[in-house]
């Protein structure tokens, strides 16, 4: 079963959007298996955004990600990495599809309210980066039985 990582970014915390954003994932029927507030330090931001380390906007991005706590979420489900990326919308919020989280709540390329893992391989690494195994929960979610047909689970 796939797991993915979502970060509710500092701009969303400042704007009081935590509940609204988490609600999007619940509304879709997804199963949250981990959730916590944390402050990011320089090291974890560098590791998480290593692919962007040489970009001119990296210093700003790092400062932004450390400007207030974030909420880390891990969600589990069938093909959930792609499903969550679609729910979040594209990086450039101004062009993000209406109805997506970024499409509905953001206008900035930098302050785009959420992070979501972009591939199954990255998701596995990212979930481990933000959660210890004992912070992830395995449990029955009764409604979940209706989210996927039996042959999709
Ligand atoms: N970012 C930015 N300026 C850019 C591109 C990206 O500030 O021109 C920030 C933005 O917060 C984005 C993050 O860097 O969400 C990671 O970039 P990535 O290309 O991985 O986009 P994402 O996967 O978040 O859609
Ligand atoms: Mg990315």
């Amino acid at each position: 079963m796939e797991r993915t990582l979502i970060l509710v970014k500092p701009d969303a915390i400042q704007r009081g959007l935590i509940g609204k954003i988490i609600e999007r994932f619940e509304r879709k029927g997804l199963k949250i298996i981990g959730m916590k507030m944390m402050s990011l330090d320089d090291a974890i931001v560098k590791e998480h955004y290593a692919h962007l380390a040489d970009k001119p906007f990296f210093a700003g991005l790092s400062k932004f990600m450390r400007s207030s706590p974030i909420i880390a979420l891990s969600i589990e489900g069938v093909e959930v990495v792609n499903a969550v990326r679609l729910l979040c919308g594209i990086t450039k919020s101004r062009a993000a599809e209406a109805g997506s989280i970024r499409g509905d709540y953001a206008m900035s390329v930098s302050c785009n309210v959420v992070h979501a893992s972009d591939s199954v391989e990255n998701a596995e690494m990212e979930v481990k980066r933000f959660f210890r195994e004992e912070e992830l929960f395995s449990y029955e979610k009764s409604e979940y039985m209706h989210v996927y047909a039996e042959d999709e689970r």
Side-chain angles (χ1 to χ4, degrees):
M1 188 72 76
E2 285 180 24
R3 287 171 173 182
T4 194
L5 176 83
I6 294 147
L7 303 178
V8 181
K9 292 183 175 180
D11 54 333
I13 307 290
Q14 292 299 326
R15 292 170 58 197
L17 296 176
I18 298 169
K20 288 195 170 74
I21 290 173
I22 293 175
E23 200 242 340
R24 295 299 188 102
F25 302 114
E26 288 198 301
R27 199 202 279 178
K28 181 76 170 168
L30 297 174
K31 182 179 180 183
I32 297 169
I33 58 163
M35 174 158 65
K36 63 177 172 179
M37 179 174 265
M38 59 195 287
S39 290
L40 304 186
D41 61 18
D42 193 45
I44 198 166
V45 171
K46 273 204 182 107
E47 191 184 320
H48 189 61
Y49 286 129
H51 61 296
L52 301 173
D54 54 1
K55 299 283 185 196
F57 59 82
F58 181 78
L61 173 63
S62 172
K63 191 173 171 205
F64 164 60
M65 290 302 292
R66 292 180 291 113
S67 62
S68 77
I70 54 96
I71 305 284
L73 296 164
S74 180
I75 285 181
E76 182 183 84
V78 177
E79 293 173 12
V80 77
V81 174
N82 187 50
V84 165
R85 281 289 282 194
L86 290 173
L87 277 179
C88 288
I90 63 167
T91 315
K92 294 177 179 172
S93 302
R94 290 193 285 280
E97 205 169 349
S100 67
I101 295 170
R102 285 166 170 170
D104 285 357
Y105 289 111
M107 278 296 281
S108 165
V109 179
S110 320
C111 302
N112 52 13
V113 301
V114 278
H115 164 83
S117 307
D118 65 2
S119 68
V120 175
E121 302 73 53
N122 284 341
E124 264 170 42
M125 285 192 301
E126 291 183 358
V127 169
K128 289 197 180 104
R129 180 172 302 140
F130 286 86
F131 290 94
R132 296 194 304 273
E133 208 44 52
E134 62 269 28
E135 292 175 321
L136 297 169
F137 295 83
S138 174
Y139 64 99
E140 293 292 323
K141 189 168 184 276
S142 54
E143 188 191 285
Y144 205 57
M145 302 301 289
H146 308 282
V147 169
Y148 301 105
E150 211 166 320
D151 63 349
E152 291 173 312
R153 276 178 233 139

